């Protein structure tokens, strides 16, 4: 089973505003709302890919209940712990003329370590050896910076494969527990390396160093429109980015993680994983907001993926 953890979920409100004007009146041309947060986005995409997952995390207030109801209505399995306060609502502004994406994210609820421990205990009671746990996104106020380190260590002890998608201190702390797979983007990897990494070769070298230092079996480094690097202990593949019409880049990285998790569960080869995750990421870029792309769109892109062994 694949479990996705979203400790700081959100109700994502996506609006389109042609010619967004700062310090002026703007009119919305279209709007949609979706249950969001990186782990929840991963679960939505896994479902579109024909897989099954269980989403978990922390919710609060009426917004939290709205998110849980939306997931249930969509046929997604979940279990959440509730806290006082209101789950955040994030505003995504798409300027269809300037082709820009602007995120305005609320801080969300405040949690205690006691709540986090209870949720981790609930998750631990369900995990079986060989399960996959996706830890991704920001953490709420009150959660310590080593939260992903603690959760990764606990899940690994139970025999689960942990996929970590985080940045900053969460990334630095989390990798010390040796997750099974990490997915930084090249900016995050550059920040960790302390220097700007621009070429696939430079990025691959930095990823290899990270893999060796922390004994991480698999690393995927996304490079936006330029594609991504996929590394195992014995292989490195560079996948070129697919040129597609951009609806929204929000959630594109989460869709890649979804494909990586499902590929791992199904035991796909590295080449199959590269094709599926690249196509899934591109297909979701074509969607509005954090809406998940239909599999038919993803399937049409799989054969178009170009990759090179390094």
């Amino acid at each position: 089973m694949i479990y996705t953890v979203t400790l700081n979920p959100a109700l994502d409100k996506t609006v389109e505003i042609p010619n967004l004007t700062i310090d002026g009146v703007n009119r919305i041309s279209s709007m949609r709302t979706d249950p969001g947060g990186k782990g929840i986005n991963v679960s939505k995409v896994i479902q579109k890919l024909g897989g099954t997952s269980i989403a978990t995390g922390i919710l609060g207030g009426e917004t939290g209940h709205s998110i849980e109801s939306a997931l249930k209505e969509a046929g997604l399995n979940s279990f959440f712990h509730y806290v006082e306060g209101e789950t955040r609502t994030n505003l995504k502004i798409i300027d269809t003329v300037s082709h820009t994406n602007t995120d305005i994210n609320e801080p969300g609820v405040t949690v205690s370590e006691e709540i986090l421990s209870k949720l981790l205990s609930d998750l631990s009671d369900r995990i079986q050896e060989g399960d996959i746990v996706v830890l991704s996104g920001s953490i709420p106020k009150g959660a310590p910076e080593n939260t992903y380190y603690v959760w990764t260590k606990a899940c690994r002890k139970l025999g689960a494969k942990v996929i970590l998608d985080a940045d900053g201190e969460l990334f630095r702390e989390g990798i010390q527990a040796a997750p099974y797979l990490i997915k930084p983007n090249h900016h995050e990897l550059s920040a960790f390396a302390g220097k700007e990494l621009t070429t696939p070769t430079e990025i691959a070298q930095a990823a290899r160093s990270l893999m060796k230092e922390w004994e991480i079996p698999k690393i995927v480094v996304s490079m936006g429109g330029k594609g991504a690097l996929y590394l195992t202990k014995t292989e490195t593949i560079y996948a070129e980015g697919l040129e597609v019409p951009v609806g929204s880049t929000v959630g594109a990285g989460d869709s890649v993680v979804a494909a990586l998790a499902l590929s791992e569960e199904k035991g796909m080869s590295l080449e199959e994983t590269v094709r599926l995750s690249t196509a899934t990421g591109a297909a979701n870029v074509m969607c509005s907001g954090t809406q998940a792309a239909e599999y038919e769109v993803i399937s049409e892109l799989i054969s178009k993926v170009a990759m090179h062994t390094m």
Side-chain angles (χ1 to χ4, degrees), residues 208 211 216-219 230-236 270:
R208 283 274 169 218
M211 178 179 283
I216 299 169
K218 297 183 179 182
I219 298 179
Y230 295 76
L231 300 94
T232 68
K233 291 183 178 180
T234 58
E235 298 177 272
T236 302
L270 180 58

Side-chain angles (χ1 to χ4, degrees), residues 1-5 42 46 52-54 123 126-135 155 158-164 180-181 218 257-267:
M1 177 58 67
I2 301 172
Y3 294 91
T4 66
V5 178
V42 171
I46 286 174
T52 302
S53 69
I54 298 176
L123 174 62
R126 300 166 185 253
I127 289 176
Q128 297 181 13
E129 187 168 356
D131 284 344
I132 296 169
V133 178
V134 177
L135 303 176
C155 293
L158 295 169
K161 296 178 178 179
V162 177
I163 296 177
L164 176 66
Y180 181 78
L181 186 154
K218 297 183 179 182
V257 171
L260 293 172
L262 190 62
S263 296
E264 188 63 42
E265 183 181 56
K266 291 182 174 296

